[in-house]
Structure formats: C-alpha cells, structure tokens
Amino acid sequence: MTKTDLAARLKHACAAVIAAEQELTEIDSKFGDADHGLTMAKIARAITEAVDQSDGGIQSMLDDAAMAVMSLNGGSAVPLWNTWLDGMQEEAPEGEEIDVPGLQAIFAKALEELNDMSGAQVGDKTMMDALIPASEAIAAYAGSDEGGLFDAAAKAAAAGAENSKNFVSKFGRAKSYGAQTIGTPDAGAMSMSYFFQGLAQA
C-alpha cells in the first residue's frame, strides 16, 4: 500500500466524519455539550488538510496530521485524537509504502498510546467502544490485503458503536446521567466508527 493509497483512505475517513456532523451533534446534545459534531468536523478537516499538504513519507504524513489536530481548540476529542494519531506515526515507516504487518503495527501502537492516556475500556461508553474492537480486528487479521483489513476493522467498529447503546456512561458530562444514557450510542464511538467506515472505502 502506497502513501497515496493511505492518504486517499484517510481523506475518505475524514469525509465520512464530516458528513455525520449533524448526527454526532444530535447524539451529544442528549447528555453532553452538543459540540462533538463540530469538534470532530474540525479534527477531520485538519487531518485532511495535513494529508493534502504533506510532502514526506508515511510517518511524516501521520505526524503532520497529529500536529494539525494538536493545534485545535475543542473538546476532549482533540487530545484523544492527537494521541491516537501520534501513536500511529511512532510506528509508521519513513518511506512511501506500508504492508499489512506495518498497518497492524501502527494501529497497535496508536491504541497502546491512547490506552495510557484514556484508561477507558469497552463498556465505559466512550470512543474506545468502537476503537478497541476495530484495533483487535486489525491485530487478528490474517490476510495480506489491506482492503480486507480495513473492512474487518470497519465492521468491528460499527458493531462496537452500536453496542455502546447498552452501556451506562462512565466518563465526561454524560456520567452524571447514569442509567438514562442507556439506549443512546456514545457520540465518540460513533465518530470513530464513521472514521473506520471511511477508511474501508478504497
């Protein structure tokens, strides 16, 4: 997989998040600050611009994306996404190509870094409800085609986001609503799911 291919997938991922802005805002308005859609659209646009302007290899492109997110003002999603992207670039190749084991390495490192910062697990009703299953699907993928890897991740992320409806919020402002949050998916899990849906678009 070339840097150009990965860049295209990242831009599809960001477009999917931007397209879901209103839906994410509506979800977040129930128990949060109603700013998640706006914040994620900002993050997605920053990543898109960084990817478009990057003139280095894959590591440089992911580093540019992480830095672009870090410079934003916004909700809790900004440092979380910065940390995730920064974890990716730490394991990314400097050159213009990455294979399936390389993709597995960058997503594993990204999850490790975010785990250290967040501490949230599946069931806590956060972005991790989508990200952890997606990361596990990537790690378990036994094929050699990156398309299959991203498809598996997208399916796992979507199932995880849907499953977040069944949990009580344990983080953020929504935590104070307790059992009332059951039945509504987590906005952060939904935005992460949309990102993986976009990554799966070749």
Side-chain angles (χ1 to χ4, degrees), residues 3 50-51 53-68 85 88-90 92-96:
K3 177 197 169 187
V51 166
Q53 294 179 356
S54 179
D55 55 5
I58 289 172
Q59 184 178 45
S60 177
M61 177 177 71
L62 292 170
D63 188 40
D64 289 345
M67 293 292 285
L85 291 164
M88 272 192 216
Q89 70 83 21
E90 284 187 33
E94 292 181 7
E96 301 266 336

Side-chain angles (χ1 to χ4, degrees), residues 27-96:
I27 294 169
D28 194 39
S29 69
K30 293 182 179 179
F31 307 108
D33 297 323
D35 64 348
H36 187 71
L38 178 65
T39 300
M40 285 309 308
K42 275 190 202 173
I43 288 171
R45 289 188 180 99
I47 294 170
T48 300
E49 190 174 333
V51 166
D52 272 335
Q53 294 179 356
S54 179
D55 55 5
I58 289 172
Q59 184 178 45
S60 177
M61 177 177 71
L62 292 170
D63 188 40
D64 289 345
M67 293 292 285
V69 172
M70 187 173 72
S71 69
L72 297 174
N73 292 318
S76 58
V78 168
L80 293 168
W81 276 74
N82 164 251
T83 300
W84 188 54
L85 291 164
D86 194 53
M88 272 192 216
Q89 70 83 21
E90 284 187 33
E91 285 293 317
E94 292 181 7
E96 301 266 336

Side-chain angles (χ1 to χ4, degrees), residues 62 83-93 98-117 121 128 131-141 149-150 153 192 196 199:
L62 292 170
T83 300
W84 188 54
L85 291 164
D86 194 53
M88 272 192 216
Q89 70 83 21
E90 284 187 33
E91 285 293 317
I98 187 167
D99 57 9
V100 164
L103 289 168
Q104 289 172 319
I106 68 171
F107 280 103
K109 182 64 173 177
L111 180 64
E112 180 187 327
E113 292 295 315
L114 194 53
N115 262 332
D116 287 346
M117 179 191 185
Q121 296 299 316
M128 299 300 242
L131 179 57
I132 290 173
S135 301
E136 289 174 345
I138 289 169
Y141 181 68
L149 178 145
F150 285 121
M192 183 58 76
F196 274 104
L199 280 177

